[in-house]
CSV table of all heavy atoms in Angstrom, one decimal:
chain,number,residue,atom,x,y,z
A,13,GLN,N,-71.3,16.7,21.7
A,13,GLN,CA,-71.8,16.2,22.9
A,13,GLN,C,-73.4,16.1,22.8
A,13,GLN,O,-74.0,16.8,22.0
A,13,GLN,CB,-71.6,17.3,24.1
A,13,GLN,CG,-70.1,17.4,24.4
A,13,GLN,CD,-69.6,16.3,25.3
A,13,GLN,OE1,-70.4,15.6,25.9
A,13,GLN,NE2,-68.3,16.1,25.3
A,14,ALA,N,-73.9,15.1,23.6
A,14,ALA,CA,-75.4,15.0,23.6
A,14,ALA,C,-76.0,16.3,24.0
A,14,ALA,O,-75.5,17.0,24.9
A,14,ALA,CB,-75.7,13.9,24.5
A,15,GLY,N,-77.1,16.7,23.4
A,15,GLY,CA,-77.8,17.9,23.6
A,15,GLY,C,-77.3,19.1,22.8
A,15,GLY,O,-77.9,20.1,22.7
A,16,GLY,N,-76.2,18.8,22.1
A,16,GLY,CA,-75.6,19.9,21.2
A,16,GLY,C,-76.2,19.9,19.8
A,16,GLY,O,-77.2,19.2,19.5
A,63,SER,N,-88.3,10.1,14.7
A,63,SER,CA,-87.4,10.3,15.8
A,63,SER,C,-86.6,11.6,15.7
A,63,SER,O,-86.0,12.0,16.7
A,63,SER,CB,-86.4,9.1,15.9
A,63,SER,OG,-85.6,9.0,14.7
A,67,ARG,N,-86.4,18.3,15.9
A,67,ARG,CA,-85.0,18.4,16.3
A,67,ARG,C,-84.2,18.7,15.0
A,67,ARG,O,-83.2,19.5,15.1
A,67,ARG,CB,-84.4,17.2,16.9
A,67,ARG,CG,-85.1,16.8,18.2
A,67,ARG,CD,-84.4,15.7,19.0
A,67,ARG,NE,-84.3,14.5,18.2
A,67,ARG,CZ,-83.1,13.9,17.9
A,67,ARG,NH1,-82.0,14.4,18.2
A,67,ARG,NH2,-83.1,12.7,17.2
A,68,PHE,N,-84.5,18.1,13.9
A,68,PHE,CA,-83.7,18.3,12.7
A,68,PHE,C,-84.5,19.2,11.7
A,68,PHE,O,-85.7,19.1,11.6
A,68,PHE,CB,-83.4,17.0,12.0
A,68,PHE,CG,-82.4,16.1,12.8
A,68,PHE,CD1,-82.0,16.4,14.1
A,68,PHE,CD2,-81.9,15.0,12.2
A,68,PHE,CE1,-81.1,15.6,14.7
A,68,PHE,CE2,-81.0,14.2,12.8
A,68,PHE,CZ,-80.6,14.5,14.1
A,84,ASN,N,-80.4,19.6,16.1
A,84,ASN,CA,-80.4,20.1,17.4
A,84,ASN,C,-80.8,19.0,18.4
A,84,ASN,O,-81.3,18.0,18.1
A,84,ASN,CB,-81.4,21.3,17.5
A,84,ASN,CG,-81.1,22.4,16.6
A,84,ASN,OD1,-79.9,22.8,16.4
A,84,ASN,ND2,-82.1,23.0,16.0
A,85,GLU,N,-80.5,19.3,19.7
A,85,GLU,CA,-80.8,18.4,20.8
A,85,GLU,C,-80.4,17.0,20.4
A,85,GLU,O,-81.1,16.0,20.5
A,85,GLU,CB,-82.3,18.4,21.0
A,85,GLU,CG,-82.9,19.8,21.4
A,85,GLU,CD,-84.4,19.8,21.6
A,85,GLU,OE1,-85.0,18.7,21.9
A,85,GLU,OE2,-85.0,20.9,21.3
A,86,MET,N,-79.2,16.9,20.0
A,86,MET,CA,-78.7,15.6,19.5
A,86,MET,C,-78.5,14.6,20.6
A,86,MET,O,-78.2,14.9,21.7
A,86,MET,CB,-77.3,15.8,18.8
A,86,MET,CG,-77.5,16.7,17.5
A,86,MET,SD,-76.0,16.9,16.6
A,86,MET,CE,-76.0,15.3,15.8
A,87,LYS,N,-78.8,13.3,20.1
A,87,LYS,CA,-78.8,12.2,21.1
A,87,LYS,C,-77.7,11.2,20.6
A,87,LYS,O,-77.3,11.1,19.4
A,87,LYS,CB,-80.1,11.5,21.1
A,87,LYS,CG,-81.3,12.5,21.4
A,87,LYS,CD,-82.6,11.8,21.3
A,87,LYS,CE,-83.8,12.8,21.7
A,87,LYS,NZ,-85.1,12.1,21.6
A,88,SER,N,-77.3,10.3,21.5
A,88,SER,CA,-76.3,9.2,21.1
A,88,SER,C,-76.8,8.4,19.9
A,88,SER,O,-76.0,7.9,19.1
A,88,SER,CB,-76.0,8.4,22.3
A,88,SER,OG,-77.2,7.8,22.8
A,89,GLU,N,-78.1,8.2,19.9
A,89,GLU,CA,-78.7,7.4,18.8
A,89,GLU,C,-78.6,8.1,17.4
A,89,GLU,O,-79.0,7.5,16.4
A,89,GLU,CB,-80.1,6.9,19.1
A,89,GLU,CG,-81.1,8.0,19.5
A,89,GLU,CD,-81.2,8.1,21.0
A,89,GLU,OE1,-80.2,8.0,21.7
A,89,GLU,OE2,-82.3,8.3,21.5
A,90,ASP,N,-78.3,9.3,17.4
A,90,ASP,CA,-78.1,10.0,16.1
A,90,ASP,C,-76.7,9.7,15.5
A,90,ASP,O,-76.4,10.1,14.4
A,90,ASP,CB,-78.2,11.5,16.3
A,90,ASP,CG,-79.6,12.0,16.7
A,90,ASP,OD1,-80.6,11.4,16.3
A,90,ASP,OD2,-79.7,12.9,17.5
A,91,THR,N,-75.8,9.0,16.2
A,91,THR,CA,-74.5,8.7,15.7
A,91,THR,C,-74.6,7.8,14.5
A,91,THR,O,-75.3,6.7,14.6
A,91,THR,CB,-73.7,8.0,16.8
A,91,THR,OG1,-73.5,8.9,17.9
A,91,THR,CG2,-72.4,7.5,16.3
A,123,THR,N,-70.8,11.8,15.2
A,123,THR,CA,-70.7,11.0,16.4
A,123,THR,C,-71.2,11.9,17.6
A,123,THR,O,-70.7,13.0,17.8
A,123,THR,CB,-69.3,10.6,16.7
A,123,THR,OG1,-68.8,9.8,15.6
A,123,THR,CG2,-69.2,9.7,17.9
A,124,VAL,N,-72.2,11.3,18.4
A,124,VAL,CA,-72.7,12.1,19.5
A,124,VAL,C,-72.3,11.3,20.8
A,124,VAL,O,-72.6,10.1,20.9
A,124,VAL,CB,-74.2,12.2,19.4
A,124,VAL,CG1,-74.8,13.0,20.6
A,124,VAL,CG2,-74.7,12.8,18.1
A,125,SER,N,-71.6,12.0,21.6
A,125,SER,CA,-71.1,11.3,22.9
A,125,SER,C,-72.0,11.8,24.1
A,125,SER,O,-72.3,13.0,24.1
A,125,SER,CB,-69.7,11.6,23.1
A,125,SER,OG,-69.4,13.0,23.1
Side-chain angles (χ1 to χ4, degrees):
Q13 293 281 340
S63 62
R67 300 191 298 122
F68 289 13
N84 299 323
E85 301 175 28
M86 297 185 72
K87 306 175 181 179
S88 57
E89 51 263 43
D90 295 324
T91 295
T123 302
V124 183
S125 57

